[in-house]
Amino acid sequence: MENNSEIRPYTIDIPQTDLDDLRDRLARTRWTTDLPGAGWSRGVPVSYLKGLAEYWRDGYDWRVHERRLNQYPQFTTEIDGQNIHFLHVRSAEPDALPLILTHGWPGSIVEFLDVIGPLTDPRAHGGEPADAFHLVIPSIPGSGFSGPTTGTGWDTNRVTRAFAELMNRLGYHRYGAQGGDTGAVVSPGLGRLNPDKVVGVHANGLAAFTPVDPDEVAGLTDAERARLEQLEYFKTEQSGYAMIQISRPQTLAHGLHDSPAGQLAWIVEKFKEWTDPAAELPEDAVDRDLLLTNVTVYWLTGTAGSSANSYYETAHAGAWGASERSPVPTGVAVFPLDGSIRRTVELEHNVVHWSEFDRGGHFAAMEAPDLLVDDVRKFFRALR
């Protein structure tokens, strides 16, 4: 798998011309029209997107957030012919447990900015030093500063193998894994691939690919039936983006790569639909600047198409499907709108820890970092 095992320090340094181009494109956006009274029912309303795009152009300062990202040590290395970018934040605590955090789509390393401090330095964030972690936070190949994929075949299984090699290359032979969305596929995958090295897997938004047996529906709790209904709603009303990315990602890429307003709409829709249902607007669930930093990473790295293409690769590789039951201890955090149903999750995972929360959502590390950090600490405490 190795081509060049060198690990190179990396600093984000976006040319000013790229930022000027972004502002110019936003200023020249050709806006569509809304149907009267449609609201969010057909997608992102023009009035909302215009306001957010204007703030992105005139109020948001990328350099502030670039500096925040650059506070953390970053590196790149080549694995399986692909550039892999990652944050590597080591704790000052000598007995810290290595932990790899994997983002999803349409997320990025930006998802984890608010949990890095509490996880690496619990002493400074009201926690116990014994709960400290060394963090490895990679950008999935085809996303963010890993850059576009340079070849076909980068499905989630290949990503998992690459991340296992990354941890090996860093000298970590005993570690934990955590993630949501794509990270809730890759993290358990690391456990299945290396059960002798991965001490535990913690995931949010973990849903089994084994469907609920129709005969068991009556035995579900009210909360579980609501999650089952949410899964059905997702299949009928919220999966259009996935079908496009599974079937024709390159066609989609042209529009998203050329139009920042298009890229903004494509991502912000998910932050409206998947965040805490108590939040009226995306920025009520996630800090507006953090949301825009995530979108800006996609834009500046030109990874709209390659990140969408990962859906195509995974679907056509048959990598989305029921898996053999993992022997690795697994912790599950269930946030509002998650489709996690314990009896089906347990068919594929060795669940030893299960938590349910009444606030937060799909982007748990951004929406409810305090809850996620506390749950990760509790889960791994018994596995160190």
Side-chain angles (χ1 to χ4, degrees):
M1 180 177 283
E2 292 186 23
N3 291 326
N4 180 356
S5 60
E6 180 187 2
I7 295 174
R8 301 169 295 275
Y10 182 82
T11 301
I12 302 169
D13 185 14
I14 299 299
Q16 186 60 40
T17 52
D18 290 1
L19 301 178
D20 294 341
D21 176 69
L22 170 58
R23 290 193 181 93
D24 180 60
R25 287 171 182 265
L26 286 168
R28 293 185 296 108
T29 301
R30 183 185 181 207
W31 296 104
T32 185
T33 57
D34 279 331
L35 288 174
W40 285 82
S41 64
R42 299 169 188 244
V44 185
V46 176
S47 58
Y48 174 80
L49 196 66
K50 269 187 176 180
L52 190 57
E54 287 172 3
Y55 175 75
W56 193 14
R57 185 187 73 219
D58 299 327
Y60 172 82
D61 186 350
W62 163 258
R63 295 299 186 199
V64 170
H65 304 284
E66 183 181 72
R67 286 193 294 271
R68 184 183 180 192
L69 286 163
N70 282 332
Q71 288 177 355
Y72 302 109
Q74 297 174 61
F75 304 87
T76 61
T77 192
E78 183 181 304
I79 299 177
D80 199 11
Q82 173 66 36
N83 181 62
I84 305 289
H85 163 267
F86 60 100
L87 274 61
H88 187 196
V89 189
R90 288 185 59 84
S91 173
E93 304 296 339
D95 297 325
L97 177 69
L99 179 67
I100 180 170
L101 302 177
T102 303
H103 66 82
W105 184 92
S108 66
I109 58 169
V110 174
E111 283 189 60
F112 298 113
L113 282 175
D114 288 337
V115 303
I116 293 175
L119 290 177
T120 58
D121 189 8
R123 190 190 299 266
H125 293 84
E128 296 296 326
D131 288 328
F133 297 92
H134 300 308
L135 296 182
V136 178
I137 311 176
S139 298
I140 289 176
S143 293
F145 296 101
S146 286
T149 39
T150 55
T152 59
W154 278 97
D155 64 286
T156 51
N157 287 333
R158 189 172 175 185
V159 172
T160 300
R161 293 193 296 270
F163 286 3
E165 169 59 23
L166 175 62
M167 295 302 279
N168 183 63
R169 194 170 290 183
L170 293 172
Y172 292 139
H173 304 298
R174 184 177 185 275
Y175 59 92
Q178 199 285 329
D181 195 85
T182 306
V185 178
V186 171
S187 300
L190 285 167
R192 290 188 179 92
L193 189 64
N194 289 314
D196 57 328
K197 295 181 179 180
V198 178
V199 301
V201 170
H202 184 280
N204 52 287
L206 183 63
F209 289 100
T210 303
V212 176
D213 187 324
D215 294 335
E216 294 186 359
V217 172
L220 297 178
T221 65
D222 290 345
E224 288 173 333
R225 278 196 292 272
R227 287 177 210 144
L228 191 61
E229 290 174 4
Q230 176 62 31
L231 286 171
E232 290 303 314
Y233 179 74
F234 174 83
K235 291 176 185 177
T236 57
E237 290 291 328
Q238 294 186 338
S239 62
Y241 82 97
M243 295 311 299
I244 294 172
Q245 296 189 159
I246 284 170
S247 61
R248 296 296 183 269
Q250 189 59 36
T251 302
L252 172 69
H254 299 299
L256 301 189
H257 190 81
D258 185 62
S259 168
Q263 177 69 94
L264 180 62
W266 193 246
I267 290 179
V268 80
E269 180 191 271
K270 300 304 138 201
F271 277 83
K272 163 64 175 175
E273 294 185 340
W274 296 348
T275 49
D276 192 324
E280 183 177 349
L281 295 171
E283 61 266 33
D284 296 331
V286 174
D287 177 78
R288 182 173 59 171
D289 272 21
L290 204 59
L291 171 59
L292 287 173
T293 299
N294 183 67
V295 176
T296 307
V297 166
Y298 276 84
W299 176 260
L300 295 175
T301 59
T303 50
S306 53
S307 62
N309 198 57
S310 66
Y311 277 64
Y312 180 98
E313 300 286 2
T314 299
H316 285 78
W320 278 325
S323 302
E324 290 185 8
R325 191 170 188 270
S326 171
V328 176
T330 301
V332 182
V334 186
F335 291 88
L337 298 185
D338 283 349
S340 306
I341 297 173
R342 184 161 186 165
R343 68 187 67 195
T344 58
V345 170
E346 286 182 333
L347 295 174
E348 298 176 26
H349 306 274
N350 176 23
V351 178
V352 299
H353 173 96
W354 186 275
S355 300
E356 300 187 8
F357 301 102
D358 59 6
R359 64 178 171 88
H362 185 77
F363 303 95
M366 301 174 84
E367 296 182 68
D370 58 327
L371 297 180
L372 184 66
V373 165
D374 185 59
D375 204 59
V376 168
R377 288 173 178 168
K378 286 180 180 176
F379 169 68
F380 282 104
R381 200 169 287 154
L383 303 172
R384 290 175 177 269

